[in-house]
Amino acid sequence: MTNIISPNINPDINPEISPNDRCFLYGDGFFSTVRVTAGVPELWPLHLARLQHTAAQLAIDIADWNVISEAVVNAIAAAHVDKAVLKIQVSRGSGQRGYSPAGIAPASVYISLGNLPDYSRWQQQGVTLALAELQLAVQPVLAGLKHCNRLEQVLLKRQANGRGVDDLLVCDQQGYVTEAIAANLFLHRAGRWYTPELSRAGVAGVMRSHLLSRHPDIEQVNWLLSELNNVDAMVLSNALMGVVPVQSYNNQPLDLALAKTWCNKLLC
């Protein structure tokens, strides 16, 4: 059986979370953030597919995925919200100290709702992007997964805040262009669009998967930083903000009009 803990009046304060929960102790779990529009969880089939894939990769057993889908719908209905961010977080469960996952059951699923940020300025004016100093650890076993070990992103966000930019372009430790802090990256060069292939590090976002399925002409590539010299436009994507153009990279202006036109095409 899977424990499902839905939002209360204040979902940020949940007394039912055990201090022995392995998500709390070791980051032993995974999550997805879902945009809710008109009371509907957008791209839910893709979110569910990623959750199922991650559970299989981490060997976390979920007894009945239909129960989780129903809990998501019920949480939205109970909150009476039109627009929101729904977060679904899956923990391996609670256990005694020690790394071993042996005998840990059942899994716990936490569902919470929050306010949807306003991305209109980014969508209209584009974002400023700079190159991150921190590089992502290369771990193919975890590459692509949205697991709960997000300290790299915490440090990257702190760095972006300190440098006065909206976001950072992040490479992995082998020097390959990978993603932004909490978004996937699309790059335009010589009339074509590309996105980093994510077999070493990074998160395979739901919006990225959606775009790749609808636009098979987007090529997945392994590019070192030098490959960006001839890039003239960039776009960021994630499930909450959709697609957002990049106005500049390392203080160098990019083709904002081209990026915005492509963003509009992607959303058609």
Side-chain angles (χ1 to χ4, degrees):
M1 182 177 179
T2 302
N3 294 324
I4 296 181
I5 302 172
S6 292
N8 49 27
I9 295 175
N10 184 351
D12 296 324
I13 303 173
N14 197 327
E16 297 180 84
I17 299 176
S18 167
N20 293 320
D21 188 293
R22 289 179 65 87
C23 224
F24 173 73
L25 293 174
Y26 308 121
D28 188 4
F30 54 97
F31 68 102
S32 201
T33 47
V34 185
R35 182 185 178 108
V36 176
T37 303
V40 176
E42 292 188 8
L43 302 178
W44 175 246
L46 290 177
H47 283 283
L48 180 61
R50 184 175 65 172
L51 291 168
Q52 291 171 325
H53 171 71
T54 307
Q57 289 293 102
L58 299 181
I60 295 178
D61 183 43
I62 301 296
D64 189 346
W65 287 99
N66 289 328
V67 172
I68 294 176
S69 293
E70 292 172 4
V72 166
V73 172
N74 292 338
I76 296 170
H80 304 290
V81 292
D82 182 59
K83 292 184 178 181
V85 175
L86 181 143
K87 181 174 183 178
I88 177 167
Q89 182 164 321
V90 180
S91 167
R92 190 180 301 275
S94 295
Q96 301 304 312
R97 66 171 303 279
Y99 290 138
S100 175
I104 303 297
S108 293
V109 179
Y110 301 97
I111 299 173
S112 59
L113 288 157
N115 294 328
L116 180 67
D118 182 4
Y119 294 106
S120 59
R121 182 183 68 83
W122 282 12
Q123 291 163 345
Q124 294 164 12
Q125 301 178 14
V127 298
T128 55
L129 199 63
L131 178 63
E133 297 172 5
L134 185 148
Q135 295 180 317
L136 299 174
V138 173
Q139 176 48 270
V141 173
L142 298 177
L145 307 184
K146 199 167 186 179
H147 54 75
C148 290
N149 295 273
R150 294 290 122 198
L151 274 178
E152 289 176 325
Q153 283 67 40
V154 171
L155 295 176
L156 285 165
K157 193 64 177 178
R158 182 175 183 271
Q159 184 183 127
N161 292 340
R163 293 172 63 179
V165 293
D166 296 316
D167 212 325
L168 295 174
L169 184 147
V170 190
C171 296
D172 66 26
Q173 287 180 321
Q174 295 177 352
Y176 289 98
V177 176
T178 304
E179 60 187 4
I181 299 173
N184 290 118
L185 181 66
F186 294 86
L187 308 154
H188 184 268
R189 188 175 73 179
R192 294 194 60 188
W193 284 94
Y194 303 86
T195 191
E197 190 265 344
L198 301 174
S199 61
R200 291 174 304 276
V203 174
V206 163
M207 181 56 69
R208 174 182 182 272
S209 297
H210 175 64
L211 297 178
L212 289 175
S213 68
R214 292 186 59 187
H215 302 275
D217 55 318
I218 301 172
E219 184 179 348
Q220 299 184 54
V221 293
N222 291 293
W223 282 359
L224 296 171
L225 275 176
S226 58
E227 298 281 358
L228 299 185
N229 292 339
N230 296 318
V231 164
D232 54 11
M234 298 183 186
V235 166
L236 304 183
S237 76
N238 69 29
L240 298 184
M241 66 185 182
V243 286
V244 168
V246 179
Q247 62 167 270
S248 66
Y249 169 63
N250 277 349
N251 295 318
Q252 297 299 312
L254 294 168
D255 192 334
L256 182 60
L258 173 61
K260 290 179 71 172
T261 298
W262 194 62
C263 286
N264 292 333
K265 176 184 175 183
L266 291 174
L267 297 176
C268 292

